[in-house]
Amino acid sequence: EKRHKVTVIGSGNWGSTISKIVAENTKEHPEIFEPEVHMWVYEEDVVISKDSPHYDESVGDQPQKLTDVINKYHENVKYLPGIKLPSNLIANPSVVDAVKDSSILIFNLPHQFIDRVSAQIKGKIVPFARGISCIKGVHVTDEGISLFSEWIGDGLGIYCGALSGANIASEIAAEKWCGTTIAYDPPPMDSSRNPSPRATTPIRSSATDPDINLSITPLEGMQHKDARGRTSKTKLVPVPSEYPPLDHETFQTLFERPYFLVSMVSDVAGVSLGGALKNIVALGAGFVVGLGLGDNAKSEIVRRGLLEMIKFGKEFFKETVQPETFTIESAGVADLITSCSSGRNFRCASHAVEQGVSVAEIEAKELNGQKLQGTTTAMEVHSFLKVHNMEKDYPLFTAVNDIIEGKNTYQDLLQLINKRRN
Ligand code: NAD
Ligand code: 13P
């Protein structure tokens, strides 16, 4: 019997937290997983301050490689300070080396960086690997919109599911209790334990960066049908029978902790869209709170945001999306509540209004290298809606975009959404 090697691609605030979770579980389940987990780190220099417990007189304030610091002190001092990481978690600065021999790939980095990283590992991964995308965003080009799970899967020739939920990383890293949703729905060829109908999304797209060639190379494997009955270009290679199956049970075992409860579903589109679109709503919620309009106004933004999220899902992913995912799953309504209470998008938006500066200025000043996803997602979704001439049908998404782009001011928000209300 072989075991699955697990790699996490990304090591930011959430990337490091998910790495901690899966490394705790691989250690507890050596019958399914190789205990050692590699975490790819975008290498950078860090200086350890004098007041840190890791300050070393002999190094002083000389810059050190972040990977060396993580592997020495088992702490990501820059993106997840104060949290002890398991010693079976290895920080690796080479993404190609980190994914070598891994049959489970977890993608967890800000969405603006995934194109380049995917291009680097294309053709260098185990052909029967399966992925889980923890990325909250959508991939938009002139050709259309796709989910990151779908875009990563098609680009690399593998199947990729999605994890999303009401999951503020720092709370989970401190082992505070919460739930999450994992959508995973490969064709039945993978396992007989959880065969379920295939769920993919209708619109496909390609990389925006002309330097990157992510065209799909057929692998030796089986073709499968997507949700609209079309034959997918990706030929999936079945997981060899010497390995434990890569099914719901295995992924639940990999991700669930006593403080992190996993709900397994098959609606990849709903889970992915919930995580992406709530970031636009969180910016709107931050704007109204920054304007001093209070909790009733914030709740009205959340309500309208939820309606626009469901409408967007039904309009553009109707073959697969299940509206209940938005209303009953952690990846839907719960993530909206959390993100509009203390998420980074919400906080930066409210501080930007209070200080009369742009959200980008607050992001650079307050987040110490962490990246907002809402500002880029607002602009990407808007450019997609514009192509379809549907900006007016999504008054909140459009208003948030127009404010981020500087076409309107924060003070215009209510007027914009009242005027364009459905
Ligand atoms: P983060 O905001 O902490 O981002 C910083 C990361 O980006 C660092 O690892 C940094 O090394 C990396 N980076 C910087 N420049 C880069 C480059 N040029 N190429 C590649 N990497 C580069 O990241 P995060 O919080 O781990 O977010 C990852 C995803 O998880 C996002 O889609 C986010 O929406 C989602 N998410 C975040 C949280 C949270 O609470 N932080 C919770 C749930 C989901
Ligand atoms: P922010 O990126 O706005 O902090 O949201 C984190 C998150 O996704 C919580 O579920």
Side-chain angles (χ1 to χ4, degrees), residues 136 165-169 275 278-279 282 335 338-339 342-347 371-373:
K136 291 186 173 175
N167 297 148
I168 300 279
K278 64 87 189 173
N279 282 330
D335 195 8
T338 278
S339 297
S342 58
R344 298 169 297 185
N345 286 285
F346 168 77
R347 282 187 282 120
K371 305 284 179 201
L372 292 184
Q373 304 286 272

Coordinates of all heavy atoms in Angstrom, one line a residue, residues 136 165-169 275 278-279 282 335 338-339 342-347 371-373, ligand 2:
K136 N -9.7 32.4 -2.7 CA -10.9 33.1 -2.8 C -10.8 34.1 -3.9 O -10.3 35.2 -3.7 CB -11.3 33.7 -1.5 CG -11.7 32.6 -0.5 CD -12.2 33.1 0.9 CE -12.7 32.0 1.7 NZ -13.1 32.4 3.1
G165 N -14.9 28.9 3.5 CA -15.8 29.0 4.6 C -15.5 30.2 5.4 O -14.7 31.1 5.0
A166 N -16.2 30.3 6.5 CA -16.1 31.4 7.5 C -14.8 31.2 8.2 O -14.9 30.6 9.3 CB -17.3 31.6 8.4
N167 N -13.7 31.6 7.7 CA -12.4 31.1 8.2 C -11.3 32.2 8.3 O -10.4 32.2 7.5 CB -11.9 30.0 7.2 CG -12.8 28.7 7.1 OD1 -12.8 28.1 6.1 ND2 -13.4 28.4 8.2
I168 N -11.5 33.0 9.3 CA -10.4 34.0 9.5 C -9.2 33.2 10.0 O -9.3 32.5 11.0 CB -10.9 35.0 10.6 CG1 -12.1 35.8 10.2 CG2 -9.7 35.9 11.0 CD1 -11.9 36.9 9.3
A169 N -8.1 33.3 9.3 CA -7.0 32.4 9.5 C -6.4 32.5 10.9 O -6.2 31.5 11.6 CB -5.9 32.7 8.5
G275 N -16.8 32.1 -1.8 CA -15.6 32.7 -1.3 C -15.1 33.9 -2.1 O -14.5 34.8 -1.5
K278 N -18.0 37.2 -1.8 CA -18.2 37.8 -0.5 C -17.2 38.9 -0.2 O -17.5 39.8 0.6 CB -18.3 36.7 0.6 CG -17.0 36.0 0.8 CD -16.0 36.6 1.8 CE -14.6 35.9 1.8 NZ -13.6 36.6 2.5
N279 N -16.1 38.8 -0.9 CA -15.0 39.8 -0.7 C -15.5 41.2 -1.2 O -15.1 42.2 -0.7 CB -13.7 39.4 -1.3 CG -13.0 38.4 -0.5 OD1 -13.1 38.4 0.7 ND2 -12.2 37.5 -1.1
A282 N -17.9 42.4 1.4 CA -17.2 42.9 2.6 C -16.6 44.3 2.4 O -16.6 45.1 3.4 CB -16.1 41.9 2.9
D335 N -19.6 32.8 5.8 CA -18.4 33.5 5.4 C -18.7 35.0 5.2 O -17.9 35.9 5.5 CB -17.8 32.9 4.1 CG -16.4 33.4 3.9 OD1 -15.8 34.1 4.7 OD2 -15.8 33.1 2.8
T338 N -18.8 36.5 8.8 CA -17.4 36.7 9.3 C -16.7 37.8 8.6 O -16.0 38.7 9.2 CB -16.7 35.3 9.2 OG1 -17.0 34.5 10.3 CG2 -15.2 35.5 9.2
S339 N -16.7 37.7 7.3 CA -15.9 38.7 6.5 C -16.4 40.1 6.6 O -15.6 41.0 6.5 CB -16.0 38.3 5.0 OG -15.4 37.0 4.8
S342 N -15.0 41.1 10.6 CA -13.6 41.3 11.0 C -12.6 40.9 9.9 O -11.4 40.8 10.1 CB -13.2 40.6 12.3 OG -13.5 39.2 12.1
G343 N -13.1 40.6 8.7 CA -12.1 40.3 7.6 C -11.3 41.5 7.2 O -11.6 42.6 7.5
R344 N -10.2 41.2 6.5 CA -9.2 42.2 6.1 C -9.9 43.2 5.1 O -9.6 44.4 5.2 CB -8.0 41.6 5.5 CG -7.2 40.8 6.5 CD -6.1 39.9 5.8 NE -6.7 39.0 4.8 CZ -6.0 38.1 4.2 NH1 -4.7 38.0 4.3 NH2 -6.6 37.3 3.3
N345 N -10.7 42.7 4.2 CA -11.3 43.6 3.2 C -12.2 44.5 3.9 O -12.2 45.7 3.6 CB -12.1 42.7 2.2 CG -11.2 42.0 1.2 OD1 -10.7 42.6 0.3 ND2 -11.0 40.7 1.4
F346 N -13.0 44.0 4.9 CA -13.9 44.9 5.6 C -13.1 45.9 6.4 O -13.5 47.1 6.4 CB -14.8 44.0 6.6 CG -15.5 44.8 7.6 CD1 -16.7 45.5 7.2 CD2 -15.1 44.9 8.9 CE1 -17.4 46.2 8.2 CE2 -15.7 45.6 9.8 CZ -16.9 46.3 9.5
R347 N -12.1 45.5 7.1 CA -11.4 46.4 8.0 C -10.7 47.5 7.1 O -10.7 48.7 7.5 CB -10.3 45.6 8.8 CG -10.9 44.9 10.0 CD -9.8 44.3 10.9 NE -9.3 43.1 10.3 CZ -8.0 42.9 10.0 NH1 -7.1 43.8 10.2 NH2 -7.6 41.7 9.5
K371 N -2.3 40.3 1.3 CA -3.0 40.8 0.1 C -4.5 40.8 0.2 O -5.0 39.7 0.5 CB -2.5 40.0 -1.2 CG -1.0 39.9 -1.4 CD -0.5 41.2 -1.9 CE 1.0 41.1 -2.1 NZ 1.7 42.4 -2.1
L372 N -5.1 41.9 -0.2 CA -6.6 41.9 -0.3 C -7.0 41.2 -1.6 O -6.3 41.4 -2.6 CB -7.1 43.3 -0.3 CG -7.0 44.1 1.0 CD1 -7.7 45.5 0.8 CD2 -7.6 43.4 2.2
Q373 N -8.1 40.5 -1.5 CA -8.6 39.8 -2.7 C -9.8 40.6 -3.3 O -10.2 40.5 -4.4 CB -9.0 38.4 -2.4 CG -7.9 37.5 -1.8 CD -6.8 37.2 -2.8 OE1 -6.9 36.2 -3.5 NE2 -5.8 38.0 -2.9
Ligands
13P2 P1 -10.3 38.6 4.3 O1 -9.4 38.2 3.2 O2 -11.2 39.8 4.0 O3 -9.6 38.8 5.6 O4 -11.3 37.4 4.5 C1 -10.8 36.3 5.1 C2 -11.8 35.2 4.9 O5 -11.9 34.8 3.8 C3 -12.6 34.7 6.0 O6 -13.4 33.6 5.7

